[in-house]
């Protein structure tokens, strides 16, 4: 059922050994390098004679809670649409996020908060680590059901390192503004995953196509993930921004953009659907595009109207764009573009990350270019220093900042595509126990499943196993 005795024995050893190895190495690095920051360390905080009410924890932790729920509940359940892959969707999300949080603390710490030979951590580093985990989970969506847990651990290890480098180049070296991560999180995660999927292309995946569709209850679970993400997205975009008007403005712009993308998604879904009926696939994905598209510009003076317009455009493009998953045997949402993505470019995008994160992320980056070019002292007043400090200090013009924003998008795309391609080559190593073409999208390969589910799936899986081995 789960494969030959040799494959079973390898699976029993490789995955736990990798988990223990990564955890042991991370623990040693934490012991050597990681320390509390000045707002967390008992001696440093009380030495400064601060009021407890001034501790950053009370200002940042509510946003952290929302972002944390998005990572573990929102992303996990959004990917639970596959009828026989629910355990893996939620369980591997849990696994990858836990690894990414630790590893990204180290990577981001070495790049951003390494001083006196130590990494200093607090609530802000927790938020940044969650952002990195979000990018990893976006990439996971592109290869969902076609990779084993050992492959996913290595994917996370590589992607976290490249995510940290890309973030450092954009935010520190180039001075790019990207508060909600349209570039650093969504664009990077999407195109890293799509490049990975391209290298891992499976020409015989038709053997598992019958499991690729959803059923009624699995789509309901996925909708739970959508609702969690939708509700908490204003916190996601505003969590790292400057306290005060910047954080307030970011939440407000995201809030309105999400409402507009939801309405456009419902409208377009009814227009392109058969007999005017709504498609739950569209609602689960494209309704969230409004949060992605304002990730870069939500901290800027986008205006409420601009947020509505951006959200409406993102919802429209996401609904009509390529990569939206469909149950086997049904029509494509976009009869021209989606078949091209797989047949011409050989990209098998399980969750449709291209239409939810990729295209809206690029649109969001371009929107940031436009809004940055329009920045003036009159529009921002003294607030220009917190949003565009280099413009406020006279080191750049608004047009120069816009050019840097555009170059940041180019750097992100290049690092994501090259990194994802290299990651795909790494994951093709034969000892990493990838599922067979006939066993993709199936929980039983890696999980103990309840007997009633096993009774339904056991027979077909055995038959396909024999056919594959023959």
């Amino acid at each position: 059922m789960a494969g030959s005795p040799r494959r079973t024995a390898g699976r029993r050893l490789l995955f736990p050994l990798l988990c223990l190895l990564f955890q042991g190495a991370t623990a040693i690095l934490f012991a050597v390098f990681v320390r509390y920051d000045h707002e967390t360390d008992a001696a440093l905080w009380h030495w400064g004679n601060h009021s407890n009410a001034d501790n950053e924890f009370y200002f940042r932790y509510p946003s952290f809670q929302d972002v944390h729920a998005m990572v573990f509940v929102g992303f996990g359940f959004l990917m639970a649409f596959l009828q026989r892959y629910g355990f893996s969707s939620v369980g591997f999300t849990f696994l990858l996020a836990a690894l990414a949080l630790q590893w990204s603390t180290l990577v981001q710490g070495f790049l951003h908060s390494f001083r006196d030979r130590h990494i200093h951590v607090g609530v802000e580093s927790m938020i940044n680590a969650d952002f990195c985990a979000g990018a990893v989970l976006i990439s996971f969506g592109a290869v969902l059901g076609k990779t084993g847990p050992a492959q996913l651990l290595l994917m996370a290890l590589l992607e976290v390192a490249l995510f940290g480098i890309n973030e450092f180049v954009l935010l520190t070296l180039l001075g790019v503004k990207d508060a909600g991560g349209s570039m650093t999180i969504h664009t990077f995660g999407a195109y890293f995953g799509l490049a990975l999927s391209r290298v891992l292309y499976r020409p015989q995946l038709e053997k598992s196509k019958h499991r690729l569709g959803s059923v009624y209850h699995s789509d309901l679970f996925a909708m739970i993930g959508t609702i969690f993400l939708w509700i908490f997205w204003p916190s996601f975009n505003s969590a790292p921004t400057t306290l005060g008007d910047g954080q307030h403005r970011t939440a407000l712009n995201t809030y309105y953009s999400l409402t507009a993308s939801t309405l456009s998604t419902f409208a377009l879904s009814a227009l392109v659907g058969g007999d005017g009926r709504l498609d739950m696939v569209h609602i689960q994905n494209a309704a969230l595009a409004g949060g992605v598209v304002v990730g870069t510009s939500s901290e800027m003076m986008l205006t409420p109207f601009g947020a509505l317009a951006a959200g409406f455009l993102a919802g429209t493009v996401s609904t009509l764009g390529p990569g939206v998953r469909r149950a086997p045997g049904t029509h494509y949402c976009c009869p021209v573009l989606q078949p091209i993505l797989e047949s011409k470019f050989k990209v098998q995008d399980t969750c449709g990350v291209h239409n939810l994160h990729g295209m809206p992320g690029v649109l969001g980056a371009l929107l940031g270019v436009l809004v940055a070019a329009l920045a003036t002292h009159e529009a921002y007043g003294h607030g220009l220093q917190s949003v565009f400090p280099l413009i406020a200090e006279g080191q750049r013009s608004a047009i120069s900042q816009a050019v840097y924003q555009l170059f940041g998008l180019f750097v992100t795309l290049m690092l994501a595509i090259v990194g994802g391609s290299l990651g795909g080559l790494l994951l093709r190593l034969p000892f990493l126990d990838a599922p067979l073409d006939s066993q993709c999208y199936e929980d039983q390969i890696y999980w103990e499943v309840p007997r009633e589910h096993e009774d339904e799936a056991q027979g077909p899986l055995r038959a396909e196993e024999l056919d594959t081995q023959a």
Side-chain angles (χ1 to χ4, degrees), residues 250-292:
T250 303
L252 199 69
N253 286 333
T254 307
Y255 173 86
Y256 286 123
S257 183
L258 284 165
T259 60
S261 65
T262 301
L263 287 179
S264 66
T265 299
F266 273 87
L268 268 294
S269 181
L271 284 174
V272 303
D275 302 322
R277 290 178 295 181
L278 298 169
D279 190 331
M280 184 59 85
V281 175
H282 298 154
I283 310 305
Q284 290 165 3
N285 291 275
L288 299 171
V292 178

mmCIF file of all heavy atoms in Angstrom, residues 250-292:
data_model
loop_
_atom_site.group_PDB
_atom_site.id
_atom_site.type_symbol
_atom_site.label_atom_id
_atom_site.label_comp_id
_atom_site.label_asym_id
_atom_site.label_seq_id
_atom_site.Cartn_x
_atom_site.Cartn_y
_atom_site.Cartn_z
ATOM 1 N N THR A 250 -2.296 51.640 7.216
ATOM 2 C CA THR A 250 -2.082 50.354 6.559
ATOM 3 C C THR A 250 -3.263 49.421 6.765
ATOM 4 O O THR A 250 -3.743 48.771 5.830
ATOM 5 C CB THR A 250 -0.804 49.693 7.103
ATOM 6 O OG1 THR A 250 0.294 50.577 6.919
ATOM 7 C CG2 THR A 250 -0.519 48.380 6.392
ATOM 8 N N ALA A 251 -3.750 49.349 8.002
ATOM 9 C CA ALA A 251 -4.908 48.491 8.291
ATOM 10 C C ALA A 251 -6.136 48.960 7.529
ATOM 11 O O ALA A 251 -6.911 48.151 6.990
ATOM 12 C CB ALA A 251 -5.170 48.479 9.801
ATOM 13 N N LEU A 252 -6.319 50.279 7.468
ATOM 14 C CA LEU A 252 -7.494 50.828 6.790
ATOM 15 C C LEU A 252 -7.461 50.533 5.291
ATOM 16 O O LEU A 252 -8.476 50.113 4.693
ATOM 17 C CB LEU A 252 -7.566 52.336 7.036
ATOM 18 C CG LEU A 252 -8.918 53.008 6.812
ATOM 19 C CD1 LEU A 252 -9.902 52.559 7.875
ATOM 20 C CD2 LEU A 252 -8.760 54.530 6.867
ATOM 21 N N ASN A 253 -6.321 50.764 4.655
ATOM 22 C CA ASN A 253 -6.208 50.498 3.223
ATOM 23 C C ASN A 253 -6.426 49.020 2.906
ATOM 24 O O ASN A 253 -7.081 48.679 1.915
ATOM 25 C CB ASN A 253 -4.832 50.934 2.719
ATOM 26 C CG ASN A 253 -4.702 52.446 2.608
ATOM 27 O OD1 ASN A 253 -5.688 53.151 2.410
ATOM 28 N ND2 ASN A 253 -3.485 52.948 2.749
ATOM 29 N N THR A 254 -5.873 48.132 3.733
ATOM 30 C CA THR A 254 -6.047 46.691 3.512
ATOM 31 C C THR A 254 -7.505 46.289 3.682
ATOM 32 O O THR A 254 -8.044 45.479 2.917
ATOM 33 C CB THR A 254 -5.170 45.906 4.502
ATOM 34 O OG1 THR A 254 -3.822 46.370 4.411
ATOM 35 C CG2 THR A 254 -5.208 44.418 4.179
ATOM 36 N N TYR A 255 -8.135 46.852 4.676
ATOM 37 C CA TYR A 255 -9.544 46.583 4.973
ATOM 38 C C TYR A 255 -10.437 46.883 3.762
ATOM 39 O O TYR A 255 -11.256 46.056 3.340
ATOM 40 C CB TYR A 255 -9.908 47.452 6.184
ATOM 41 C CG TYR A 255 -11.331 47.507 6.627
ATOM 42 C CD1 TYR A 255 -11.848 46.557 7.506
ATOM 43 C CD2 TYR A 255 -12.152 48.568 6.240
ATOM 44 C CE1 TYR A 255 -13.162 46.648 7.955
ATOM 45 C CE2 TYR A 255 -13.456 48.674 6.690
ATOM 46 C CZ TYR A 255 -13.961 47.709 7.555
ATOM 47 O OH TYR A 255 -15.248 47.812 8.006
ATOM 48 N N TYR A 256 -10.259 48.062 3.187
ATOM 49 C CA TYR A 256 -11.089 48.434 2.041
ATOM 50 C C TYR A 256 -10.717 47.643 0.789
ATOM 51 O O TYR A 256 -11.597 47.291 -0.010
ATOM 52 C CB TYR A 256 -10.971 49.939 1.782
ATOM 53 C CG TYR A 256 -11.711 50.777 2.796
ATOM 54 C CD1 TYR A 256 -11.052 51.739 3.542
ATOM 55 C CD2 TYR A 256 -13.067 50.579 3.027
ATOM 56 C CE1 TYR A 256 -11.724 52.494 4.494
ATOM 57 C CE2 TYR A 256 -13.751 51.333 3.969
ATOM 58 C CZ TYR A 256 -13.075 52.279 4.707
ATOM 59 O OH TYR A 256 -13.743 53.019 5.647
ATOM 60 N N SER A 257 -9.450 47.373 0.606
ATOM 61 C CA SER A 257 -9.039 46.605 -0.572
ATOM 62 C C SER A 257 -9.628 45.207 -0.551
ATOM 63 O O SER A 257 -10.063 44.677 -1.588
ATOM 64 C CB SER A 257 -7.509 46.540 -0.624
ATOM 65 O OG SER A 257 -7.077 45.859 -1.778
ATOM 66 N N LEU A 258 -9.663 44.586 0.610
ATOM 67 C CA LEU A 258 -10.244 43.238 0.732
ATOM 68 C C LEU A 258 -11.733 43.239 0.412
ATOM 69 O O LEU A 258 -12.239 42.310 -0.242
ATOM 70 C CB LEU A 258 -10.007 42.700 2.143
ATOM 71 C CG LEU A 258 -8.601 42.202 2.459
ATOM 72 C CD1 LEU A 258 -8.427 42.043 3.966
ATOM 73 C CD2 LEU A 258 -8.328 40.875 1.762
ATOM 74 N N THR A 259 -12.443 44.258 0.865
ATOM 75 C CA THR A 259 -13.884 44.294 0.571
ATOM 76 C C THR A 259 -14.125 44.422 -0.926
ATOM 77 O O THR A 259 -15.032 43.779 -1.479
ATOM 78 C CB THR A 259 -14.553 45.468 1.308
ATOM 79 O OG1 THR A 259 -13.972 46.714 0.889
ATOM 80 C CG2 THR A 259 -14.392 45.327 2.815
ATOM 81 N N ALA A 260 -13.314 45.233 -1.605
ATOM 82 C CA ALA A 260 -13.495 45.417 -3.053
ATOM 83 C C ALA A 260 -13.136 44.153 -3.817
ATOM 84 O O ALA A 260 -13.831 43.773 -4.782
ATOM 85 C CB ALA A 260 -12.653 46.590 -3.540
ATOM 86 N N SER A 261 -12.066 43.463 -3.420
ATOM 87 C CA SER A 261 -11.687 42.235 -4.127
ATOM 88 C C SER A 261 -12.740 41.151 -3.923
ATOM 89 O O SER A 261 -12.975 40.324 -4.812
ATOM 90 C CB SER A 261 -10.324 41.737 -3.649
ATOM 91 O OG SER A 261 -10.349 41.335 -2.295
ATOM 92 N N THR A 262 -13.408 41.162 -2.781
ATOM 93 C CA THR A 262 -14.469 40.180 -2.539
ATOM 94 C C THR A 262 -15.651 40.419 -3.468
ATOM 95 O O THR A 262 -16.183 39.475 -4.089
ATOM 96 C CB THR A 262 -14.923 40.246 -1.076
ATOM 97 O OG1 THR A 262 -13.808 39.983 -0.225
ATOM 98 C CG2 THR A 262 -16.020 39.230 -0.795
ATOM 99 N N LEU A 263 -16.080 41.659 -3.595
ATOM 100 C CA LEU A 263 -17.212 41.951 -4.479
ATOM 101 C C LEU A 263 -16.876 41.650 -5.933
ATOM 102 O O LEU A 263 -17.710 41.092 -6.675
ATOM 103 C CB LEU A 263 -17.634 43.406 -4.320
ATOM 104 C CG LEU A 263 -18.370 43.745 -3.019
ATOM 105 C CD1 LEU A 263 -18.720 45.218 -2.962
ATOM 106 C CD2 LEU A 263 -19.638 42.916 -2.887
ATOM 107 N N SER A 264 -15.685 42.019 -6.377
ATOM 108 C CA SER A 264 -15.322 41.730 -7.765
ATOM 109 C C SER A 264 -15.224 40.225 -8.010
ATOM 110 O O SER A 264 -15.578 39.745 -9.093
ATOM 111 C CB SER A 264 -14.004 42.419 -8.126
ATOM 112 O OG SER A 264 -12.921 41.883 -7.392
ATOM 113 N N THR A 265 -14.771 39.483 -7.014
ATOM 114 C CA THR A 265 -14.674 38.032 -7.163
ATOM 115 C C THR A 265 -16.046 37.404 -7.317
ATOM 116 O O THR A 265 -16.263 36.557 -8.193
ATOM 117 C CB THR A 265 -13.952 37.421 -5.940
ATOM 118 O OG1 THR A 265 -12.631 37.941 -5.853
ATOM 119 C CG2 THR A 265 -13.901 35.911 -6.050
ATOM 120 N N PHE A 266 -16.986 37.801 -6.477
ATOM 121 C CA PHE A 266 -18.341 37.260 -6.596
ATOM 122 C C PHE A 266 -18.943 37.627 -7.950
ATOM 123 O O PHE A 266 -19.591 36.793 -8.605
ATOM 124 C CB PHE A 266 -19.219 37.784 -5.453
ATOM 125 C CG PHE A 266 -19.163 36.961 -4.207
ATOM 126 C CD1 PHE A 266 -18.196 37.189 -3.245
ATOM 127 C CD2 PHE A 266 -20.086 35.939 -3.988
ATOM 128 C CE1 PHE A 266 -18.138 36.433 -2.084
ATOM 129 C CE2 PHE A 266 -20.031 35.178 -2.839
ATOM 130 C CZ PHE A 266 -19.063 35.410 -1.880
ATOM 131 N N ALA A 267 -18.740 38.860 -8.380
ATOM 132 C CA ALA A 267 -19.312 39.288 -9.665
ATOM 133 C C ALA A 267 -18.718 38.501 -10.823
ATOM 134 O O ALA A 267 -19.457 37.977 -11.680
ATOM 135 C CB ALA A 267 -19.072 40.789 -9.855
ATOM 136 N N LEU A 268 -17.396 38.407 -10.863
ATOM 137 C CA LEU A 268 -16.745 37.719 -11.984
ATOM 138 C C LEU A 268 -17.004 36.223 -11.938
ATOM 139 O O LEU A 268 -17.125 35.572 -12.993
ATOM 140 C CB LEU A 268 -15.246 37.992 -11.965
ATOM 141 C CG LEU A 268 -14.752 39.191 -12.789
ATOM 142 C CD1 LEU A 268 -14.970 38.926 -14.273
ATOM 143 C CD2 LEU A 268 -15.414 40.488 -12.363
ATOM 144 N N SER A 269 -17.083 35.648 -10.748
ATOM 145 C CA SER A 269 -17.351 34.219 -10.640
ATOM 146 C C SER A 269 -18.706 33.873 -11.233
ATOM 147 O O SER A 269 -18.859 32.876 -11.948
ATOM 148 C CB SER A 269 -17.288 33.778 -9.173
ATOM 149 O OG SER A 269 -17.516 32.392 -9.042
ATOM 150 N N ALA A 270 -19.709 34.716 -10.954
ATOM 151 C CA ALA A 270 -21.038 34.477 -11.526
ATOM 152 C C ALA A 270 -21.045 34.686 -13.036
ATOM 153 O O ALA A 270 -21.732 33.962 -13.773
ATOM 154 C CB ALA A 270 -22.058 35.401 -10.865
ATOM 155 N N LEU A 271 -20.260 35.648 -13.517
ATOM 156 C CA LEU A 271 -20.232 35.929 -14.956
ATOM 157 C C LEU A 271 -19.578 34.800 -15.755
ATOM 158 O O LEU A 271 -20.042 34.458 -16.852
ATOM 159 C CB LEU A 271 -19.487 37.240 -15.225
ATOM 160 C CG LEU A 271 -20.239 38.534 -14.906
ATOM 161 C CD1 LEU A 271 -19.325 39.735 -15.089
ATOM 162 C CD2 LEU A 271 -21.476 38.664 -15.797
ATOM 163 N N VAL A 272 -18.494 34.226 -15.233
ATOM 164 C CA VAL A 272 -17.782 33.192 -15.987
ATOM 165 C C VAL A 272 -18.253 31.787 -15.654
ATOM 166 O O VAL A 272 -17.900 30.831 -16.352
ATOM 167 C CB VAL A 272 -16.258 33.278 -15.744
ATOM 168 C CG1 VAL A 272 -15.724 34.650 -16.099
ATOM 169 C CG2 VAL A 272 -15.901 32.928 -14.295
ATOM 170 N N GLY A 273 -19.052 31.648 -14.590
ATOM 171 C CA GLY A 273 -19.509 30.322 -14.183
ATOM 172 C C GLY A 273 -20.641 29.809 -15.048
ATOM 173 O O GLY A 273 -21.341 30.576 -15.726
ATOM 174 N N GLY A 274 -20.828 28.504 -15.026
ATOM 175 C CA GLY A 274 -21.919 27.913 -15.776
ATOM 176 C C GLY A 274 -23.273 28.307 -15.202
ATOM 177 O O GLY A 274 -23.501 28.201 -13.989
ATOM 178 N N ASP A 275 -24.177 28.792 -16.031
ATOM 179 C CA ASP A 275 -25.532 29.188 -15.629
ATOM 180 C C ASP A 275 -25.524 30.272 -14.557
ATOM 181 O O ASP A 275 -26.465 30.388 -13.764
ATOM 182 C CB ASP A 275 -26.334 27.975 -15.131
ATOM 183 C CG ASP A 275 -26.444 26.880 -16.177
ATOM 184 O OD1 ASP A 275 -26.590 27.226 -17.365
ATOM 185 O OD2 ASP A 275 -26.365 25.692 -15.808
ATOM 186 N N GLY A 276 -24.462 31.068 -14.514
ATOM 187 C CA GLY A 276 -24.405 32.153 -13.550
ATOM 188 C C GLY A 276 -24.178 31.729 -12.117
ATOM 189 O O GLY A 276 -24.378 32.525 -11.195
ATOM 190 N N ARG A 277 -23.760 30.491 -11.911
ATOM 191 C CA ARG A 277 -23.540 30.014 -10.542
ATOM 192 C C ARG A 277 -22.138 30.372 -10.055
ATOM 193 O O ARG A 277 -21.189 30.432 -10.831
ATOM 194 C CB ARG A 277 -23.757 28.502 -10.471
ATOM 195 C CG ARG A 277 -25.216 28.093 -10.634
ATOM 196 C CD ARG A 277 -25.378 26.588 -10.595
ATOM 197 N NE ARG A 277 -24.721 25.951 -11.742
ATOM 198 C CZ ARG A 277 -24.737 24.635 -11.952
ATOM 199 N NH1 ARG A 277 -25.337 23.839 -11.090
ATOM 200 N NH2 ARG A 277 -24.142 24.134 -13.019
ATOM 201 N N LEU A 278 -22.033 30.572 -8.748
ATOM 202 C CA LEU A 278 -20.743 30.917 -8.134
ATOM 203 C C LEU A 278 -19.868 29.679 -8.002
ATOM 204 O O LEU A 278 -20.363 28.566 -7.804
ATOM 205 C CB LEU A 278 -20.968 31.535 -6.750
ATOM 206 C CG LEU A 278 -21.768 32.846 -6.725
ATOM 207 C CD1 LEU A 278 -22.150 33.194 -5.286
ATOM 208 C CD2 LEU A 278 -20.958 33.968 -7.346
ATOM 209 N N ASP A 279 -18.567 29.896 -8.100
ATOM 210 C CA ASP A 279 -17.590 28.819 -7.945
ATOM 211 C C ASP A 279 -16.839 29.036 -6.638
ATOM 212 O O ASP A 279 -16.181 30.062 -6.439
ATOM 213 C CB ASP A 279 -16.611 28.837 -9.122
ATOM 214 C CG ASP A 279 -15.716 27.602 -9.155
ATOM 215 O OD1 ASP A 279 -15.439 27.040 -8.075
ATOM 216 O OD2 ASP A 279 -15.282 27.224 -10.258
ATOM 217 N N MET A 280 -16.926 28.069 -5.723
ATOM 218 C CA MET A 280 -16.276 28.195 -4.427
ATOM 219 C C MET A 280 -14.759 28.355 -4.555
ATOM 220 O O MET A 280 -14.113 28.991 -3.718
ATOM 221 C CB MET A 280 -16.602 26.978 -3.560
ATOM 222 C CG MET A 280 -16.043 27.048 -2.148
ATOM 223 S SD MET A 280 -16.638 28.474 -1.209
ATOM 224 C CE MET A 280 -18.179 27.824 -0.580
ATOM 225 N N VAL A 281 -14.170 27.799 -5.609
ATOM 226 C CA VAL A 281 -12.729 27.937 -5.831
ATOM 227 C C VAL A 281 -12.349 29.407 -5.981
ATOM 228 O O VAL A 281 -11.346 29.875 -5.423
ATOM 229 C CB VAL A 281 -12.295 27.150 -7.078
ATOM 230 C CG1 VAL A 281 -10.829 27.393 -7.387
ATOM 231 C CG2 VAL A 281 -12.556 25.666 -6.878
ATOM 232 N N HIS A 282 -13.151 30.157 -6.736
ATOM 233 C CA HIS A 282 -12.882 31.583 -6.907
ATOM 234 C C HIS A 282 -12.968 32.313 -5.569
ATOM 235 O O HIS A 282 -12.097 33.133 -5.237
ATOM 236 C CB HIS A 282 -13.890 32.211 -7.870
ATOM 237 C CG HIS A 282 -13.842 31.645 -9.253
ATOM 238 N ND1 HIS A 282 -14.942 31.659 -10.091
ATOM 239 C CD2 HIS A 282 -12.849 31.042 -9.940
ATOM 240 C CE1 HIS A 282 -14.604 31.096 -11.250
ATOM 241 N NE2 HIS A 282 -13.354 30.710 -11.182
ATOM 242 N N ILE A 283 -14.011 32.024 -4.816
ATOM 243 C CA ILE A 283 -14.244 32.743 -3.564
ATOM 244 C C ILE A 283 -13.123 32.467 -2.572
ATOM 245 O O ILE A 283 -12.639 33.375 -1.890
ATOM 246 C CB ILE A 283 -15.609 32.353 -2.956
ATOM 247 C CG1 ILE A 283 -16.724 32.450 -4.004
ATOM 248 C CG2 ILE A 283 -15.916 33.216 -1.746
ATOM 249 C CD1 ILE A 283 -16.830 33.789 -4.680
ATOM 250 N N GLN A 284 -12.684 31.218 -2.498
ATOM 251 C CA GLN A 284 -11.622 30.852 -1.560
ATOM 252 C C GLN A 284 -10.322 31.591 -1.840
ATOM 253 O O GLN A 284 -9.567 31.901 -0.914
ATOM 254 C CB GLN A 284 -11.356 29.344 -1.627
ATOM 255 C CG GLN A 284 -12.452 28.477 -1.058
ATOM 256 C CD GLN A 284 -12.295 27.027 -1.493
ATOM 257 O OE1 GLN A 284 -11.335 26.674 -2.182
ATOM 258 N NE2 GLN A 284 -13.240 26.186 -1.111
ATOM 259 N N ASN A 285 -10.033 31.857 -3.085
ATOM 260 C CA ASN A 285 -8.730 32.399 -3.463
ATOM 261 C C ASN A 285 -8.762 33.876 -3.839
ATOM 262 O O ASN A 285 -8.085 34.698 -3.227
ATOM 263 C CB ASN A 285 -8.146 31.583 -4.625
ATOM 264 C CG ASN A 285 -7.745 30.183 -4.215
ATOM 265 O OD1 ASN A 285 -6.651 29.961 -3.725
ATOM 266 N ND2 ASN A 285 -8.633 29.219 -4.408
ATOM 267 N N ALA A 286 -9.541 34.214 -4.846
ATOM 268 C CA ALA A 286 -9.467 35.568 -5.400
ATOM 269 C C ALA A 286 -9.981 36.630 -4.438
ATOM 270 O O ALA A 286 -9.562 37.791 -4.517
ATOM 271 C CB ALA A 286 -10.245 35.628 -6.721
ATOM 272 N N ALA A 287 -10.863 36.258 -3.508
ATOM 273 C CA ALA A 287 -11.356 37.240 -2.548
ATOM 274 C C ALA A 287 -10.239 37.767 -1.657
ATOM 275 O O ALA A 287 -10.353 38.850 -1.074
ATOM 276 C CB ALA A 287 -12.462 36.629 -1.686
ATOM 277 N N LEU A 288 -9.142 37.010 -1.547
ATOM 278 C CA LEU A 288 -8.011 37.417 -0.718
ATOM 279 C C LEU A 288 -7.002 38.288 -1.463
ATOM 280 O O LEU A 288 -6.074 38.829 -0.851
ATOM 281 C CB LEU A 288 -7.283 36.179 -0.181
ATOM 282 C CG LEU A 288 -8.111 35.242 0.703
ATOM 283 C CD1 LEU A 288 -7.340 33.959 0.964
ATOM 284 C CD2 LEU A 288 -8.468 35.931 2.005
ATOM 285 N N ALA A 289 -7.157 38.401 -2.773
ATOM 286 C CA ALA A 289 -6.157 39.116 -3.576
ATOM 287 C C ALA A 289 -6.042 40.578 -3.184
ATOM 288 O O ALA A 289 -4.998 41.198 -3.369
ATOM 289 C CB ALA A 289 -6.495 38.998 -5.066
ATOM 290 N N GLY A 290 -7.111 41.146 -2.620
ATOM 291 C CA GLY A 290 -7.045 42.542 -2.196
ATOM 292 C C GLY A 290 -6.021 42.771 -1.103
ATOM 293 O O GLY A 290 -5.405 43.842 -1.031
ATOM 294 N N GLY A 291 -5.821 41.781 -0.232
ATOM 295 C CA GLY A 291 -4.815 41.916 0.807
ATOM 296 C C GLY A 291 -3.413 41.870 0.248
ATOM 297 O O GLY A 291 -2.502 42.536 0.755
ATOM 298 N N VAL A 292 -3.221 41.084 -0.806
ATOM 299 C CA VAL A 292 -1.895 40.952 -1.421
ATOM 300 C C VAL A 292 -1.529 42.211 -2.196
ATOM 301 O O VAL A 292 -0.405 42.719 -2.098
ATOM 302 C CB VAL A 292 -1.859 39.722 -2.353
ATOM 303 C CG1 VAL A 292 -0.499 39.604 -3.029
ATOM 304 C CG2 VAL A 292 -2.182 38.453 -1.584
#
